[in-house]
Amino acid sequence: MANKPILHYVNGRGRMETIRWLLATAGVEFEEKFFETKEQLQKLKESVLLFQQVPMVEIDGMKLVQTRAILHYIAEKYNLFGKDMKERALINMYSEGIMDLMELLIVYPFLQEEEQKKKLTDITNITKERYFPAFEKVLKTHGQNFLVGNQLSLADVQLFEVILMVEERILSALSGFPLLQAFKTRMSNIPTIKKFLAPGSQRKPIPDAKYVEMILKIFY
Ligand code: GSN
């Protein structure tokens, strides 16, 4: 049997969390190697990180860096990347939009308290006026269960992840988006996703002050 992928990152969400989500959804078991100090990261940089950056995933004999490259490889390998070029273009387009929104939520915990207040208003507005209406419209237009080709893809996994991320910060974010609410319920009921959502999985918790401190200590 092939070796399990090994994920090299800190013990927190950051840019690795979507990779965890994708593997978990595909039903792929993975190992994690966490670094906790600047020195441990430095060692990795000097040995295996092509651009001296994480996330890094050891998979199928490769040491892959660059989040998108990793996501695309896993999506392709596990049939979560559409069935032709056009479907892939749509999946990439949706995925990039979701990542733009995700980036705002990833950065949010690192802001000062005053900045956070303003940023939360910005995130609320952009979510409710740009991103959620866009995906509600996609689902409405084709009337299917998933974003592309009536089949689960990378874009669905990311949309589901970002919905949960937004709801952690803005409780009523999905109100007024009935198709996204139904999408969320459908996704939650996929057995591999259900398992990842359950306590004890490799899913990482919402970033707290301790996480922020750890990241600042290691990376800065
Ligand atoms: O998407 C990617 O994987 C890259 N385009 C960016 C990765 C990145 O910025 N990694 C940072 C940590 S922030 N999130 O994981 C990193 O490894 N910084 C160390 C450094 O010296 O640049």
Side-chain angles (χ1 to χ4, degrees):
M1 213 180 95
N3 292 333
K4 291 180 189 173
I6 304 173
L7 279 47
H8 296 263
Y9 204 66
V10 295
N11 186 5
R13 287 186 186 172
R15 289 180 207 274
M16 190 63 100
E17 193 67 356
T18 303
I19 296 168
R20 298 184 183 109
W21 265 107
L22 194 61
L23 286 167
T25 303
V28 179
E29 289 182 16
F30 57 88
E31 285 176 29
E32 298 196 84
K33 290 200 177 155
F34 302 124
F35 51 86
E36 290 166 352
T37 64
K38 229 180 181 40
E39 292 69 34
Q40 288 171 337
L41 173 60
Q42 189 56 33
K43 270 201 186 132
L44 275 183
K45 285 188 183 185
E46 286 164 12
S47 53
V48 289
L49 302 178
L50 184 64
F51 301 124
Q52 302 176 32
Q53 289 176 322
V54 287
M56 192 273 273
V57 175
E58 290 184 64
I59 184 166
D60 298 339
M62 299 179 286
K63 290 182 170 57
L64 286 183
V65 291
Q66 290 294 349
T67 312
R68 288 169 173 80
I70 297 166
L71 289 173
H72 292 176
Y73 181 75
I74 296 166
E76 184 146 12
K77 179 165 180 177
Y78 295 102
N79 199 24
L80 295 164
F81 216 11
K83 63 176 178 333
D84 56 33
M85 279 173 66
K86 284 190 175 174
E87 285 196 356
R88 187 153 313 183
L90 292 180
I91 291 167
N92 279 327
M93 181 172 77
Y94 299 151
S95 166
E96 291 295 326
I98 295 162
M99 282 196 275
D100 287 346
L101 175 57
M102 239 178 222
E103 188 70 26
L104 301 176
L105 291 146
I106 289 176
V107 170
Y108 175 80
F110 294 92
L111 303 175
Q112 301 297 324
E113 217 175 307
E114 268 313 298
E115 285 176 274
Q116 280 193 341
K117 274 189 205 147
K118 188 188 166 301
K119 189 53 90 178
L120 197 59
T121 310
D122 292 346
I123 295 174
T124 306
N125 291 341
I126 205 164
T127 298
K128 291 189 169 187
E129 290 165 18
R130 183 181 297 186
Y131 292 105
F132 281 6
F135 290 110
E136 182 83 6
K137 187 172 158 193
V138 170
L139 292 171
K140 190 169 183 180
T141 303
H142 61 38
Q144 296 168 349
N145 283 347
F146 302 107
L147 289 171
V148 181
N150 211 13
Q151 185 186 311
L152 184 68
S153 77
L154 168 65
D156 299 299
V157 178
Q158 288 180 298
L159 178 58
F160 181 62
E161 185 192 356
V162 86
I163 287 173
L164 299 184
M165 286 171 84
V166 169
E167 286 189 319
E168 284 172 343
R169 304 288 180 193
I170 308 154
L171 233 60
S172 62
L174 274 188
S175 76
F177 300 101
L179 297 182
L180 287 181
Q181 286 171 23
F183 171 85
K184 182 188 160 195
T185 306
R186 257 193 321 276
M187 291 293 287
S188 316
N189 285 322
I190 292 174
T192 50
I193 289 184
K194 215 177 209 167
K195 202 168 149 193
F196 196 56
L197 286 171
S201 82
Q202 286 160 294
R203 186 180 176 214
K204 302 297 176 267
I206 184 168
D208 58 10
K210 241 177 114 183
Y211 168 81
V212 169
E213 193 187 321
M214 174 182 73
I215 295 294
L216 296 178
K217 195 184 79 189
I218 296 175
F219 289 98
Y220 298 96

